[in-house]
Amino acid sequence: MTLYYVLGITFVVFALIVTALGLTRDDFPPTPRAGRTVIIAGAVIAVVTFAVLVSSSHVEHPREEAAAEAAEKKEEAAGEQGGGGEAAKRAPQAGEKIAVVEKEYSIELPRTTFKAGDLTFDVRNEGKVPHDLAVEDGGNESKTPLIDGGGQESLVVDLKPGKYTLYCTVPGHEDLGMKKEVTVD
Ligand SMILES: [Cu+2]
């Protein structure tokens, strides 16, 4: 493809030079033989350019083709995962959904008692500074990514009956009031 461009540009430049010479100089071409040489040279460049264009036309859009191929492979890969992939995508939606609002410096919940099992905390940060929502379950801390002001993230946990504390892990925020005792039964 690059070769085609180089040849094409060469042909255009050649044609412009010959035209300029022909228009501005009375003695161009200086001899009939030189004139024939110019015509043959022009024809050769044109033919080679056309030949390269034809031979390279099957890879005329290499970038677009590569992108289409990549998309196809991605689709195939997704297809191979089959139902499993779909189930994994749905998993975060499973169980009870609880809308949580965080700001400086509080965590608001619609209620503080939940049924044991899958729980999805949909956390909206209505504050100005980033917050997250975490819960400690048997020594393991599960938490959302840090949520910028105005942002939203979900925390999906599978909790057994017991008492838990929901809190923000940003240093100092828990002590400033970003914690909430909840009961799972
Ligand atoms: Cu916070």
Side-chain angles (χ1 to χ4, degrees):
M1 201 56 193
T2 313
L3 180 62
Y4 165 65
Y5 280 123
V6 171
L7 286 166
I9 289 163
T10 304
F11 183 59
V12 169
V13 170
F14 175 85
L16 286 173
I17 290 169
V18 171
T19 306
L21 286 171
L23 286 172
T24 57
R25 294 178 61 155
D26 291 337
D27 64 340
F28 183 85
T31 64
R33 201 175 158 215
R36 276 200 300 278
T37 306
V38 168
I39 291 167
I40 290 165
V44 166
I45 295 174
V47 167
V48 170
T49 304
F50 186 70
V52 170
L53 170 63
V54 168
S55 71
S56 68
S57 62
H58 66 286
V59 286
E60 204 167 348
H61 304 289
R63 236 171 292 167
E64 287 84 340
E65 269 175 27
E69 235 171 74
E72 234 170 70
K73 269 184 198 159
K74 211 174 174 186
E75 246 170 56
E76 270 171 35
E80 274 163 30
Q81 281 171 10
E86 283 296 302
K89 259 183 236 165
R90 271 200 303 270
Q93 303 302 316
E96 194 178 352
K97 282 182 162 244
I98 302 112
V100 182
V101 174
E102 289 191 323
K103 55 176 179 266
E104 297 82 38
Y105 290 92
S106 66
I107 297 175
E108 287 168 29
L109 297 168
R111 60 191 182 284
T112 55
T113 302
F114 310 107
K115 281 206 186 317
D118 286 327
L119 296 172
T120 300
F121 293 96
D122 290 324
V123 188
R124 170 159 284 282
N125 179 3
E126 291 186 356
K128 297 259 191 293
V129 305
H131 299 292
D132 61 13
L133 185 73
V135 64
E136 212 167 276
D137 174 20
N140 293 318
E141 185 183 69
S142 300
K143 62 177 181 179
T144 65
L146 212 52
I147 312 164
D148 285 331
Q152 187 153 2
E153 292 284 351
S154 292
L155 173 66
V156 181
V157 284
D158 183 2
L159 297 179
K160 293 175 181 61
K163 296 220 176 270
Y164 298 87
T165 303
L166 297 174
Y167 56 98
C168 175
T169 72
V170 177
H173 287 196
E174 186 178 348
D175 287 340
L176 286 164
M178 296 196 73
K179 67 169 170 180
K180 210 83 174 182
E181 310 289 336
V182 299
T183 304
V184 173
D185 58 15

